[in-house]
Amino acid sequence: MGKRETTYAMVERSPFFQAAGAAAMQDLLQPSFTQLLPKGTVLFEQGEEAEFLHLLLEGSVGLQAKGDQGGTTIVEIFGAGEIFVAPAVVLRLPYLPSAMALTEIRVLMIPAQHFRDRLAASLDLSRATVELLSRHWRLMVDQVVDLKLNSVEARVSRFLARRVSEEAGAGCAALPEPRAAIAARLGMTPETLSRTLAALETKGRLRRGARGPTVRDRSALVHS
Amino acid sequence: MGKRETTYAMVERSPFFQAAGAAAMQDLLQPSFTQLLPKGTVLFEQGEEAEFLHLLLEGSVGLQAKGDQGGTTIVEIFGAGEIFVAPAVVLRLPYLPSAMALTEIRVLMIPAQHFRDRLAASLDLSRATVELLSRHWRLMVDQVVDLKLNSVEARVSRFLARRVSEEAGAGCAALPEPRAAIAARLGMTPETLSRTLAALETKGRLRRGARGPTVRDRSALVHS
DNA sequence: GGTGCGAATTGACCCAGATCAAGAGCGACC
DNA sequence: GGTCGCTCTTGATCTGGGTCAATTCGCACC
């Protein structure tokens, strides 16, 4: 079937698959299944035992965490091809954040116990997981630095820049996720995000369109 | 020799050692060596190739990162028994942050290539590394949530609470690191940290002494 | 026991971004 | 095609924490 073909092709392209190799992945994926879920679906809730490792095939999901004094943020937004949430699965601990579909998504569900079993048996898979976690740690370090050192405008600019192709150096940065989610990911209010996009437009850095803002010059956006 | 005895005993108590098991650790530690370094020493610089995995035996080190628009922060402060910076070692990539001794330190240096070799050979070590990275990822998630949702006072309170023993519920939170480092870790200026400590003192939450602030009631500090 | 110097505290002021409160689009569904 | 219920944007105001400057503290070294 065509749909299953593309699914496998997408899985194959993910960096995790590359690192683990086809053999290990075959074993891993055998009892997994895909789900098609509408925007807004909660994949799992903060505090639940981890039952699945997720590989996102299409759309984006947000990892949402509650602070202890109340209030929630989005800690990370994952796109197609990315895997979450390995730490909870590995440590057999409750999920630290909840996960919510920010758009309609297609996601591959890998049973947690099966993943742990394969992990204990396969060095290749283990190695790929180490690399995955390393990359994810670096993402979070990057975000912490961003939050601590950069202004709202710089954070928005960096976020948009990561959404336009690096080689083209320009293009339309689609923002299919709700504004509130993006604002939370960037550590600001939706109002401030909106104002900042408006400010970037008057500065000529982008043009706001229906399918998201169009960036004129990617490098000019980041460096200033 | 007594000193080597205690070194090994400390290594043995670290969670990473527990997870990896004595056999794997024996192999890992064979070509490692310890160093005694004064406060202010730079262990490695952001952008250098990773040459060592570090296990901190005594003192504290700060992971310091530069933002791309200039300015630096401290992303994390590690204490005795903790391992850093596995991601750079694993990925054979340059260190993302620099590391600086915030106090006098004793640190075990594990050659990077040796670590990677053992990692590729030992499932136990691999598994321990996966768990280590998972815990470190969670630490960073926690910090991101803290930065996004909590006020300066709440962040300082949480930080102090983690420095007093949980069972006692009170005690002296030694702050041997320079104030500027702690402030950077918490995403604020040294001035604000100072003022916040003063404010917590007038509220009766702590008493400031020479060997760091003494917390009267740990749980009152966190929950308010 | 000065005395010199960097780190920590305190004080006065200011500003980026939050908050509160209207509007403006924009689909979905009758 | 209207109108209900969104999300998004814009406007006005407020405030937490940053900035800059002046002490004061702690302590190594003479």
Side-chain angles (χ1 to χ4, degrees):
Chain A
M1 183 191 157
K3 198 61 170 259
R4 270 203 73 73
E5 278 274 318
T6 36
T7 296
Y8 188 74
M10 291 178 93
V11 174
E12 216 171 8
R13 268 197 305 280
S14 74
F16 185 77
F17 188 102
Q18 298 293 334
M25 286 307 278
Q26 201 76 328
D27 285 348
L28 182 63
L29 297 183
Q30 184 259 315
S32 325
F33 56 96
T34 78
Q35 279 197 311
L36 200 67
L37 301 168
K39 180 186 221 175
T41 309
V42 173
L43 283 162
F44 53 80
E45 202 87 45
Q46 179 167 10
E48 288 177 16
E49 272 301 310
E51 279 180 57
F52 294 99
L53 183 71
H54 300 81
L55 199 168
L56 190 58
L57 298 169
E58 216 176 329
S60 37
V61 318
L63 298 188
Q64 191 173 45
K66 282 195 274 292
D68 33 31
Q69 353 252 46
T72 69
T73 355
I74 288 189
V75 156
E76 195 53 286
I77 294 178
F78 287 116
E82 305 196 88
I83 289 195
F84 58 95
V85 182
V89 171
V90 166
L91 297 174
R92 268 192 204 75
L93 285 177
Y95 292 114
L96 200 61
S98 310
M100 173 178 291
L102 301 178
T103 65
E104 195 191 31
I105 59 168
R106 211 165 87 248
V107 64
L108 188 72
M109 316 279 288
I110 305 166
Q113 189 54 53
H114 182 248
F115 178 73
R116 286 191 293 257
D117 291 345
R118 301 308 309 147
L119 195 65
S122 160
L123 262 170
D124 286 338
L125 188 62
S126 189
R127 162 149 203 82
T129 305
V130 166
E131 287 189 12
L132 175 76
L133 290 169
S134 295
R135 266 181 282 114
H136 280 189
W137 184 79
R138 284 181 163 236
L139 279 180
M140 293 308 285
V141 167
D142 205 62
Q143 184 175 166
V144 165
V145 173
D146 201 29
L147 286 168
K148 285 181 181 171
L149 295 177
N150 296 144
S151 69
V152 155
E153 192 174 294
R155 295 211 294 279
V156 172
S157 298
R158 279 168 46 99
F159 184 82
L160 291 176
R162 265 185 285 113
R163 294 245 167 162
V164 306
S165 80
E166 210 148 336
E167 45 295 6
C172 177
L175 302 176
E177 307 84 358
R179 285 282 193 278
I182 296 172
R185 160 60 242 264
L186 294 173
M188 64 189 70
T189 59
E191 292 95 320
T192 300
L193 173 58
S194 193
R195 271 188 269 269
T196 306
L197 286 171
L200 286 171
E201 188 170 31
T202 51
K203 283 193 185 178
R205 295 280 149 70
L206 54 85
R207 199 156 24 91
R208 283 196 281 177
R211 289 171 318 287
T214 306
V215 176
R216 300 170 165 289
D217 180 359
R218 190 184 173 281
S219 64
L221 195 59
V222 188
H223 307 107
S224 84
Chain B
M1 183 191 159
K3 199 62 169 254
R4 271 202 76 71
E5 279 273 318
T6 35
T7 295
Y8 188 75
M10 290 178 94
V11 173
E12 218 171 7
R13 268 197 305 280
S14 74
F16 185 76
F17 188 102
Q18 298 293 334
M25 286 307 278
Q26 200 77 328
D27 284 349
L28 182 64
L29 297 183
Q30 184 259 315
S32 326
F33 56 95
T34 79
Q35 279 196 313
L36 200 68
L37 301 168
K39 180 186 219 173
T41 309
V42 174
L43 283 163
F44 53 80
E45 202 87 45
Q46 179 169 9
E48 287 178 16
E49 272 303 307
E51 280 181 57
F52 294 99
L53 184 71
H54 300 80
L55 199 169
L56 189 58
L57 299 170
E58 216 176 330
S60 38
V61 318
L63 297 188
Q64 192 174 45
K66 282 195 273 293
D68 34 30
Q69 350 254 47
T72 69
T73 355
I74 289 188
V75 155
E76 195 52 286
I77 295 178
F78 286 115
E82 304 196 87
I83 290 196
F84 56 96
V85 182
V89 171
V90 165
L91 297 174
R92 268 194 203 75
L93 284 177
Y95 292 114
L96 200 61
S98 310
M100 174 178 291
L102 301 179
T103 65
E104 194 190 31
I105 60 169
R106 210 163 90 248
V107 64
L108 187 72
M109 316 279 288
I110 304 166
Q113 189 54 52
H114 178 68
F115 177 72
R116 286 192 294 258
D117 291 345
R118 300 309 310 146
L119 195 64
S122 160
L123 261 170
D124 286 338
L125 187 61
S126 190
R127 161 147 204 84
T129 305
V130 166
E131 288 190 10
L132 175 76
L133 290 169
S134 294
R135 266 182 280 115
H136 281 188
W137 184 79
R138 285 182 163 236
L139 279 180
M140 293 308 285
V141 167
D142 204 60
Q143 184 175 166
V144 165
V145 173
D146 200 29
L147 286 168
K148 284 181 181 169
L149 295 178
N150 296 144
S151 69
V152 156
E153 192 174 294
R155 297 210 296 279
V156 171
S157 298
R158 278 168 47 100
F159 184 81
L160 290 175
R162 265 185 286 112
R163 294 244 167 163
V164 307
S165 79
E166 210 149 334
E167 46 294 7
C172 177
L175 302 177
E177 307 84 358
R179 285 281 192 279
I182 296 172
R185 160 59 243 265
L186 293 173
M188 63 188 71
T189 59
E191 292 95 321
T192 300
L193 174 57
S194 194
R195 272 188 268 269
T196 306
L197 287 171
L200 286 171
E201 187 170 31
T202 50
K203 284 193 186 177
R205 294 281 149 70
L206 52 85
R207 197 157 23 93
R208 283 196 281 176
R211 291 171 315 288
T214 306
V215 176
R216 300 173 164 286
D217 181 358
R218 189 182 174 282
S219 65
L221 195 58
V222 189
H223 306 106
S224 80

